[in-house]
Amino acid sequence: MIKEFSILVSIVLLLTGFVFIHYLTHNGVSSQKTLSSISKITEISSPSLSVAYYEPRVLFYEKTLNPAYPQMQAMNKMDLVYEQ
Amino acid sequence: MNNNAFLHFLTLLLFKQKGKHIGAVLISVIIIFLLSSVLFISSSLQSMLLGTLESQSDFTVSRVQAGKAINTPSAWMDKVLEINGISQVAPRIYGRYFFAPREESFLLVGVDLFDEQSSKELRSLVKGLDLKSFLSTDSMLVGEGVKTFLSEHYYKEYFSFKTPQGSFKKVKIHQALPSGTNLIANDMIIMPIELAREIFGLGEDEVTDITFNVPNDAEWDNIIGKLHLLFYDVRVVEKREIVKAYENLYNYKGGLFLILYLVAMVTFMLILYQRYSMVYSTERKEIGILRAVGWSIKDILKLKFYETAVVVLVSFVLGVILAYLYVFIWDAPLLSQIFLGGANLPNHVSFVPVLEFGLLGSIFLFYAIPFLAAVLIPAWKIAVTPPKEAML
């Protein structure tokens, strides 16, 4: 095995180790607790979507309509990401 | 061949021909990085949102007219409470407030701060919150996005809401919500329920919707039936519907992400296949020489397999690590806007690391197998031809 290859493998292993240490030591519980807390107070669990005024902000409660074709399934740009 | 000699030759070959591999590694790292970033963001959001649902009420009812939700009479609360098996009936008042000059909107939420549970929760969430001084004047708590927006527009201490009656309601900006709540409350304003009612122009007997719990799961369908018999203009949203919807949220299996990934992968594999099977490529010459000095087809395939495996492994690991750093350490600038939008107030969310090893394994297989095939098939085709012909 040549030296350059050993260096490459060491760098990759080092980075992997760093990621695992970060993953194992990150305190996700307190973040989750904060979110649960605000959700409990407001009774709203929808993500804070940064959408235009005419687009639904609270998922599953608000729906948009196409003013020209009210019968048509409404489509907005978030529908591409948020499957309903 | 001796294993040490083989390994030495393999690593030497990899570094002597690094120009050949660097392009493939770069494209692979970009593809894996983008795909892993999207999956990391979606699994993190999904896990964070599903976690918040535990504290949500089981049902929400609202009045509908012509298919649209309208204000719900608060008298419905008493009627709902009369149904056996229902508990914790509570009103909700919320809605969006449009700030016309900048075409931005906030989500106003009225909270019953005299409810012991809510006030206790709020005190533990917002450090140093003095509820007495908060309730002594018309005050509000604002999300980080709202706070920044209002400060930029010189609303440092107060903000005046325009009510539907045309009057202005001056409300004190009491405190900002912690940045950890940004995923849900970035554009949110929390205020006492009566103040929210006044700003939205709701009557004393009206609320936005009503929430309640049904502790016995087996009763859920029965309760829905009873509600529809009780009110004819009602829409019932169940928590289990929302849980299902959140589970399908950002459904990469559903289509869009998978299609994009497949298009990218197929294009990349075609480029690789074409490159390795070119008639006058250096690859042909190299394989021809190895065959001429006595390497068997098996040895050549072994060399190509390991060579490609190293490229695949290194690019996969680098792509995943870069995606991890990008999403969980740098909070995915730009890409997070695809998920959270960017049309209203800017939102900076810190993603909680969630790694789905099964998913990463699937990505690896979907990426490694076509990659290996795209290299090994042309290499085998060249290896089976006589060396003299291969070197032509």
Side-chain angles (χ1 to χ4, degrees):
Chain A
M1 200 187 297
I2 63 164
K3 199 180 154 193
E4 289 96 322
F5 187 72
S6 314
I7 295 170
L8 175 77
V9 171
S10 313
I11 293 171
V12 170
L13 286 178
L14 204 73
L15 285 170
T16 315
F18 169 75
V19 162
F20 269 100
I21 289 169
H22 181 270
Y23 179 66
L24 295 173
T25 54
H26 189 274
N27 185 9
V29 179
S30 78
S31 312
Q32 189 61 60
K33 211 176 149 195
T34 312
L35 279 177
S36 295
S37 216
I38 190 78
S39 169
K40 204 183 267 182
I41 295 162
T42 59
E43 283 277 348
I44 284 174
S45 66
S46 172
S48 176
L49 301 176
S50 181
V51 288
Y53 188 62
Y54 48 85
E55 291 178 312
R57 154 68 178 84
V58 182
L59 286 179
F60 319 114
Y61 292 102
E62 291 178 27
K63 290 200 184 336
T64 45
L65 282 178
N66 186 327
Y69 303 98
Q71 308 93 321
M72 203 169 80
Q73 180 83 40
M75 183 78 179
N76 64 58
K77 65 175 184 285
M78 297 312 282
D79 283 349
L80 293 170
V81 182
Y82 295 86
E83 182 164 316
Q84 299 199 3
Chain B
M1 193 190 280
N2 184 324
N3 269 347
N4 276 342
F6 179 78
L7 198 63
H8 184 79
F9 182 67
L10 172 72
T11 50
L12 199 66
L13 206 65
L14 275 167
F15 278 86
K16 283 285 171 205
Q17 300 177 336
K18 55 178 176 263
K20 190 178 90 180
H21 300 299
I22 220 148
V25 169
L26 265 179
I27 299 174
S28 306
V29 167
I30 292 169
I31 292 176
I32 297 291
F33 165 74
L34 284 175
L35 183 70
S36 310
S37 302
V38 166
L39 294 174
F40 283 161
I41 296 175
S42 64
S43 23
S44 177
L45 284 177
Q46 201 177 45
S47 129
M48 284 152 87
L49 293 174
L50 278 173
T52 62
L53 278 180
E54 283 166 22
S55 54
Q56 293 289 294
S57 299
D58 299 334
F59 287 92
T60 309
V61 290
S62 57
R63 189 177 207 170
V64 282
Q65 190 176 39
K68 283 187 287 183
I70 55 166
N71 296 333
T72 309
S74 44
W76 279 20
M77 285 170 62
D78 299 326
K79 287 185 183 172
V80 168
L81 202 53
E82 279 169 17
I83 302 174
N84 284 335
I86 285 181
S87 64
Q88 290 171 298
V89 182
R92 280 204 310 189
I93 291 187
Y94 68 90
R96 288 163 85 180
Y97 180 83
F98 188 48
F99 183 70
R102 287 284 174 273
E103 296 197 335
E104 308 280 10
S105 62
F106 316 127
L107 185 74
L108 257 67
V109 182
V111 174
D112 183 5
L113 292 169
F114 293 104
D115 176 57
E116 202 181 323
Q117 192 73 23
S118 299
S119 57
K120 195 177 154 195
E121 203 70 52
L122 199 61
R123 269 199 302 266
S124 74
L125 179 71
V126 186
K127 297 280 169 265
L129 175 70
D130 179 10
L131 266 182
K132 267 187 188 168
S133 83
F134 181 77
L135 290 169
S136 61
T137 52
D138 288 335
S139 309
M140 61 186 182
L141 296 169
V142 294
E144 208 177 52
V146 181
K147 175 83 179 165
T148 314
F149 178 82
L150 293 180
S151 302
E152 280 168 3
H153 293 84
Y154 306 102
Y155 294 103
K156 305 274 184 198
E157 286 183 34
Y158 290 91
F159 181 74
S160 295
F161 291 94
K162 194 175 169 187
T163 66
Q165 287 75 32
S167 60
F168 284 93
K169 188 77 191 167
K170 196 175 175 186
V171 181
K172 188 183 170 197
I173 305 166
H174 193 84
Q175 221 166 325
L177 293 166
S179 58
T181 62
N182 277 4
L183 179 63
I184 288 177
N186 180 59
D187 63 343
M188 200 180 263
I189 295 178
I190 295 177
M191 54 176 58
I193 199 161
E194 289 311 317
L195 185 58
R197 190 193 295 275
E198 196 180 335
I199 289 169
F200 287 133
L202 262 68
E204 284 296 315
D205 54 349
E206 285 178 321
V207 292
T208 308
D209 49 30
I210 295 164
T211 61
F212 59 87
N213 283 341
V214 179
N216 183 2
D217 294 7
E219 282 287 319
W220 281 24
D221 292 321
N222 189 23
I223 295 289
I224 296 170
K226 283 185 180 174
L227 282 168
H228 283 287
L229 284 175
L230 202 59
F231 314 109
Y232 300 112
D233 49 353
V234 66
R235 190 175 76 184
V236 185
V237 178
E238 300 168 60
K239 189 159 90 175
R240 62 185 171 193
E241 271 176 35
I242 298 177
V243 172
K244 210 183 287 172
Y246 277 158
E247 278 166 0
N248 290 329
L249 204 63
Y250 325 107
N251 194 352
Y252 59 91
K253 292 173 205 152
L256 188 75
F257 292 133
L258 194 61
I259 288 167
L260 289 178
Y261 175 61
L262 283 178
V263 169
M265 280 312 285
V266 168
T267 316
F268 181 45
M269 294 313 151
L270 282 175
I271 293 169
L272 273 180
Y273 188 88
Q274 200 235 0
R275 204 187 80 172
Y276 279 89
S277 57
M278 271 200 306
V279 184
Y280 297 108
S281 71
T282 50
E283 202 71 17
R284 287 181 77 91
K285 212 171 174 182
E286 184 194 303
I287 293 171
I289 291 169
L290 290 174
R291 289 280 286 133
V293 296
W295 282 47
S296 66
I297 296 170
K298 192 183 158 195
D299 284 338
I300 287 169
L301 287 182
K302 190 177 156 191
L303 177 76
K304 287 288 145 198
F305 175 80
Y306 283 117
E307 192 187 56
T308 317
V310 170
V311 171
V312 165
L313 267 175
V314 167
S315 25
F316 179 77
V317 173
L318 283 180
V320 171
I321 289 172
L322 278 177
Y324 186 93
L325 298 177
Y326 173 73
V327 175
F328 299 126
I329 294 182
W330 298 312
D331 297 332
L334 298 176
L335 209 54
S336 66
Q337 286 199 3
I338 293 178
F339 290 86
L340 298 171
N344 196 20
L345 306 178
N347 194 353
H348 304 285
V349 172
S350 292
F351 295 97
V352 173
V354 175
L355 289 182
E356 289 180 30
F357 291 100
L359 198 64
L360 285 176
S362 318
I363 299 174
F364 179 73
L365 287 181
F366 274 113
Y367 156 71
I369 291 170
F371 197 121
L372 283 169
V375 176
L376 288 184
I377 293 170
W380 171 74
K381 273 186 180 170
I382 300 165
V384 293
T385 54
K388 206 175 160 188
E389 227 174 86
M391 280 189 286
L392 278 176

